[in-house]
Amino acid sequence: QVQLQESGGGSVQAGGSLRLSCAASGIDLRDYRSLCLAWFRQVPGKEREGIAAIDTDGSARSTDSLKGRFTISRDNAKYILYLEMNNLKPEDTAMYYCAADRPFHCNPQPKSFDYWGQGTQVTVAS
């Protein structure tokens, strides 16, 4: 089964940018290409929030409130999922997770995904 590992998190000042990566292993290229991939984030004590999902054809669906600042993309040849985050705000501070699966609809809904990474922390200072 696919294993996922996030990287790229860290501390940044408000207004700054980060690019998160999610590397996949344990899967061949044909199977990886067939996956819906997504990013989520979670703050302690709150539910996991969907950010964006990207389908097998590269089409993406993003949470309205984050559109324009967060961009999801995938490089199938490298088995990597990306999340470009710009103009970061203190309220973006959270643990960020990537996920993979083959849901009927490729939307950033946590219940649709069975495969998760361990998360990478993003902290935005004001």
Side-chain angles (χ1 to χ4, degrees), residues 16-96:
S17 299
L18 283 174
R19 187 176 76 162
L20 305 183
S21 298
C22 172
S25 60
I27 190 170
D28 64 30
L29 184 56
R30 185 178 68 176
D31 286 341
Y32 182 77
R33 285 174 168 168
S34 73
L35 290 171
C36 166
L37 305 171
W39 284 101
F40 299 85
R41 65 185 184 183
Q42 189 169 22
V43 175
K46 294 190 176 181
E47 291 187 355
R48 194 161 293 190
E49 176 189 18
I51 298 172
I54 185 165
D55 213 333
T56 57
D57 62 357
S59 61
R61 295 172 181 83
S62 300
T63 298
D64 286 343
S65 62
L66 298 175
K67 284 181 180 177
R69 294 195 301 122
F70 289 18
T71 304
I72 191 172
S73 62
R74 63 192 293 171
D75 185 333
N76 288 334
K78 296 181 179 179
Y79 294 78
I80 298 180
L81 172 71
Y82 297 103
L83 183 67
E84 187 75 34
M85 304 186 295
N86 297 310
N87 190 23
L88 284 161
K89 304 176 181 181
E91 52 264 40
D92 294 320
T93 295
M95 186 71 79
Y96 284 70

